Amino acid sequence: MYQQVKHLNEKKDEFIAMTTHELKTPVTSLRGFLQLLQMHTDSNDKNALFVERGIKQVDKLSMLINDLVEFSKLQAGNLGMHFEIFDMKVLVEDCLELYAASNSHPIKLHVSGSLEVHADRLRIEQVIDNLVSNAVKYSPEGGVVEIDLEGREHEVMVRVKDEGIGIDDKLMDKLFSQFFRAVEPGYNIPGLGMGLYITRKLLNVMVGALT
Ligand SMILES: Nc1ncnc2c1ncn2[C@@H]1O[C@H](COP(=O)(O)OP(=O)(O)O)[C@@H](O)[C@H]1O
Ligand SMILES: [Mg+2]
C-alpha cells in the first residue's frame, strides 16, 4: 500500500514538472507579444485598456506557474543552497520595493534587534515574498500590511499582519500543507495552495543544511 501511494505521488510530481515546463515557454512569449502590442498602442486608444488587462492576466498565470516550478524543484530535491551572511532589514526592504507603488496596500516595516542572519538569500526572499504577496492578495479591499522583524538571540522573528479576509483559527494547522486553500470560493482569488507549503519546506531545508 505504502509503495503504491509513493508511486502515485511520484507520478503526480512528474506530471506537475512536465506540464509546468510546457506552460512556461508559451506564457513567457505571450507576455512578450503583449508588451510589444502595448508599445504600439496609443495610450488613448480604447484598446490600450484591453492590452493592459491582458498583461495583468498573463502575470497572474505566471505567478501560478512560478509556484509550480518551485514546487517541482522542491519535490525533485534539487535545491542548491548558497549560504551567506546578510541583514534581514535590507533584504525585506528590497522585497518591498515591488509593492512601493501600491496605494491600496501601504506597507509598514518595524524592526528591532540585530537582524544579521546566515541563510540562503534568494530563498529567504522567496519566503518573504510569499508572505507579503499573500497579505496583499488576501486583502482584496486593500488595507495596511505590517511587517515586524525582531532580532532575537539566535533567530529573527518575522511577522506579517494584514487587514484582509483573515484565516479561520480552525484551519491554522493546515495552512502549510500541499495544495491547501482556506479561501471561500466566493472570493475568486487565484492560487494553487503551494506558496506556504514551499515556504515551510524551504525553511526546513535551510535549517537542516545548517545543523
Ligand atoms: N494573509 C492571508 N490572509 C488570509 N488567508 C491566507 C493568507 N495567507 C494565506 N492564506 C490562506 O492560506 C492558503 C494557502 O496559502 P498559499 O500556500 O500561499 O496558497 P495560495 O496563495 O496559492 O492559495 C490560501 O489559499 C489562503 O486560503
Ligand atoms: Mg500564496
Side-chain angles (χ1 to χ4, degrees):
M1 183 64 186
Y2 171 73
Q3 282 303 329
Q4 248 174 332
V5 173
K6 190 163 173 275
H7 178 70
L8 280 176
N9 209 26
E10 280 165 10
K11 283 270 162 222
K12 176 208 71 189
D13 291 345
E14 236 173 77
F15 173 76
I16 292 179
M18 191 183 71
T19 38
T20 303
H21 185 76
E22 295 299 320
L23 287 168
K24 215 178 143 85
T25 318
V27 170
T28 308
S29 90
L30 181 57
R31 195 182 198 287
F33 286 125
L34 282 172
Q35 258 177 327
L36 268 179
L37 194 57
Q38 190 173 44
M39 274 161 53
H40 293 284
T41 310
D42 190 282
S43 55
N44 297 321
D45 187 332
K46 68 179 188 329
N47 290 323
L49 183 66
F50 298 140
V51 177
E52 195 190 309
R53 285 191 188 158
I55 292 179
K56 272 214 180 107
Q57 295 299 325
V58 171
D59 283 343
K60 276 192 205 164
L61 197 52
S62 301
M63 209 176 69
L64 297 175
I65 295 173
N66 275 343
D67 274 0
L68 286 165
V69 171
E70 288 306 318
F71 176 84
S72 296
K73 280 197 220 156
L74 266 179
Q75 299 305 90
N78 49 31
L79 281 183
M81 289 274 168
H82 305 280
F83 284 84
E84 51 191 314
I85 292 176
F86 58 88
D87 190 315
M88 279 292 285
K89 178 168 182 268
V90 176
L91 176 133
V92 172
E93 279 170 348
D94 281 353
C95 290
L96 295 182
E97 254 170 43
L98 208 71
Y99 303 92
S102 161
N103 293 324
S104 53
H105 298 89
I107 300 193
K108 284 194 194 146
L109 175 62
H110 311 281
V111 296
S112 64
S114 158
L115 297 172
E116 209 162 75
V117 296
H118 182 220
D120 183 308
R121 185 196 293 263
L122 284 179
R123 303 297 177 190
I124 295 287
E125 236 174 75
Q126 230 176 313
V127 165
I128 299 294
D129 195 57
N130 270 332
L131 298 177
V132 178
S133 65
N134 274 348
V136 170
K137 190 164 81 163
Y138 294 105
S139 309
E141 318 235 315
V144 179
V145 174
E146 284 192 68
I147 302 167
D148 193 52
L149 299 178
E150 183 193 339
R152 297 181 176 179
E153 200 172 347
H154 292 295
E155 60 188 10
V156 172
M157 180 69 149
V158 178
R159 294 190 192 82
V160 180
K161 193 163 105 185
D162 62 62
E163 302 178 324
I165 63 173
I167 305 166
D168 190 334
D169 271 349
K170 289 196 285 289
L171 301 173
M172 282 296 186
D173 57 333
K174 299 208 183 88
L175 288 183
F176 293 85
S177 339
Q178 231 179 95
F179 311 124
F180 182 78
R181 302 204 74 209
V183 58
E184 314 247 332
Y187 277 115
N188 194 18
I189 299 175
L192 296 168
M194 288 180 161
L196 291 182
Y197 171 77
I198 294 170
T199 299
R200 189 184 64 174
K201 271 261 180 157
L202 286 176
L203 290 171
N204 282 345
V205 172
M206 247 180 267
V207 171
L210 281 174
T211 49

